[in-house]
Amino acid sequence: MEIISSCSQIQQTCMQARQSGRTLALVPTMGYFHDGHLSLMRWAREYCDMLVVSLFVNPAQFGPGEDYQRYPQDLDNDVHAAMEEGVDILFTPARSSLYPDGFSTWVEVQGLSGKLCGLTRPEHFRGVTTVVCKLFNLTCPHKAVFGQKDWQQLIIIKKMTRDLNMPVEIVGRPTVREDDGLAMSSRNAYLDQELRKVAPRVYQGLLMVRGRFESGQDDRLELELELRSYYQRNLPQAEIDYVQIVDSNNLEPQDRVKPGALAAVALKLGQARLIDNILLD
Ligand code: AMP
């Protein structure tokens, strides 16, 4: 595995590989790998001739007072794990090479970026789409793989590639969970022992609401209320950011919930802001 930090070197290497007929896949990450990240790499490894994983804690997607400064990192472990997964190139750019002095160009998917997580993190998705666009320009992948845990991010990136005619296919892969149902996340490292014990209730609430939908309840406001009060009763330690049931394609609320809708939640549990979602079908 090659570790490349230079933008010009990664661009040259990837363009040459693409021109010589090799298929390229990119898995963008912020590092501190867990099985969720590794599942994306495994899928991509099967598909492509050259697998590039980027590791960059992107300052542009953190708001003031968020966890940019203390985001967990373990480069040695990540290098080892990426090698085990057969990654060809680990791209580890420095902040100053992606955002040099004077940087002033932003890519923003309007509309979708202001919903759900965008309500309390107004500049988050602008930071995500800008860095992902830059990563696509640097690595020219045929496919790029993202996790469905970050459902909103996934559909925003799909929309960006459609709107801007980017020659890359976006692949979404299922959420990988701990044995007790907690969605894997680098931010789970912020949970202390007590909070870690109750954190699976985030997903249990989503399973509960899916069960209610399956047994015939399709009133969105009622389902949202039931989920909210589930968390108030079973996870009183959590501060609820949002509990929403929306159309999974455009994140718009539906009065009558239809199969294929998405129940999505964000809760603050101690220092960790946890997000999770489930499709209702
Ligand atoms: P992150 O390093 O948190 O920015 O995540 C990098 C990629 O891994 C994103 O596409 C995430 O959606 C994906 N990802 C994060 N957690 C999971 C998970 N539990 N299961 C599947 N994919 C995940």
Side-chain angles (χ1 to χ4, degrees):
M1 184 177 80
E2 214 178 334
I3 301 178
I4 297 181
S5 302
S6 143
C7 287
S8 53
Q9 195 187 341
I10 189 90
Q11 200 166 41
Q12 204 182 358
T13 308
C14 291
M15 275 168 94
Q16 271 170 7
R18 193 163 168 145
Q19 276 158 8
S20 68
R22 299 176 80 194
T23 51
L24 269 79
L26 170 69
V27 178
T29 80
M30 297 206 297
Y32 207 66
F33 295 154
H34 50 66
D35 279 350
H37 296 114
L38 303 185
S39 75
L40 306 184
M41 296 178 206
R42 246 163 253 163
W43 186 90
R45 179 68 287 173
E46 287 293 303
Y47 152 76
C48 67
D49 300 322
M50 192 159 120
L51 171 55
V52 181
V53 172
S54 61
L55 194 171
F56 179 63
V57 182
N58 174 32
Q61 68 188 70
F62 291 80
E66 291 186 352
D67 54 343
Y68 175 63
Q69 298 295 348
R70 60 191 171 91
Y71 195 81
Q73 296 189 52
D74 187 345
L75 185 60
D76 288 347
N77 191 61
D78 287 352
V79 167
H80 182 73
M83 277 167 60
E84 296 263 291
E85 294 303 331
V87 171
D88 294 300
I89 299 179
L90 189 65
F91 177 46
T92 56
R95 175 184 177 155
S96 58
S97 60
L98 281 188
Y99 298 108
D101 284 347
F103 182 89
S104 65
T105 302
W106 299 96
V107 178
E108 184 170 5
V109 175
Q110 293 184 341
L112 285 179
S113 297
K115 298 174 188 298
L116 304 184
C117 289
L119 293 168
T120 48
R121 307 185 77 195
E123 298 197 331
H124 171 66
F125 289 111
R126 183 184 87 149
V128 171
T129 40
T130 300
V131 82
V132 169
C133 177
K134 286 169 69 71
L135 292 169
F136 287 175
N137 287 336
L138 289 167
T139 63
C140 14
H142 294 88
K143 295 194 196 224
V145 192
F146 295 84
Q148 292 173 350
K149 182 178 86 75
D150 300 280
W151 186 276
Q152 183 174 13
Q153 167 174 285
L154 173 64
I155 66 167
I156 285 175
I157 288 166
K158 280 187 179 165
K159 180 117 193 344
M160 170 182 80
T161 60
R162 276 200 308 274
D163 285 355
L164 297 181
N165 307 96
M166 294 176 161
V168 50
E169 183 189 331
I170 305 303
V171 177
R173 298 292 302 159
T175 302
V176 176
R177 299 181 179 280
E178 303 285 357
D179 289 342
D180 58 13
L182 176 65
M184 289 192 183
S185 164
S186 307
R187 288 191 167 101
N188 292 348
Y190 300 148
L191 297 169
D192 65 25
Q193 240 182 353
E194 287 307 302
L195 292 176
R196 175 62 189 83
K197 259 192 248 162
V198 295
R201 295 180 193 165
V202 176
Y203 183 53
Q204 285 158 14
L206 291 170
L207 290 173
M208 179 284 293
V209 89
R210 187 171 72 181
R212 294 285 295 125
F213 178 69
E214 282 167 356
S215 59
Q217 176 60 270
D218 68 350
D219 182 321
R220 174 179 57 88
L221 289 176
E222 185 56 36
L223 287 169
E224 286 178 352
L225 196 70
E226 287 183 26
L227 184 50
R228 188 172 278 275
S229 56
Y230 177 93
Y231 290 137
Q232 281 160 351
R233 272 181 287 117
N234 295 290
L235 208 47
Q237 308 89 331
E239 190 189 308
I240 299 174
D241 181 348
Y242 64 80
V243 163
Q244 284 198 34
I245 299 175
V246 292
D247 183 318
S248 56
N249 294 310
N250 58 20
L251 309 182
E252 293 291 342
Q254 314 157 317
D255 290 345
R256 292 280 158 204
V257 177
K258 297 189 198 69
L262 185 81
V265 298
L267 299 103
K268 209 153 173 242
L269 205 50
Q271 295 299 306
R273 182 176 179 280
L274 303 181
I275 60 171
D276 203 350
N277 65 73
I278 199 167
L279 283 170
L280 308 180
D281 38 24

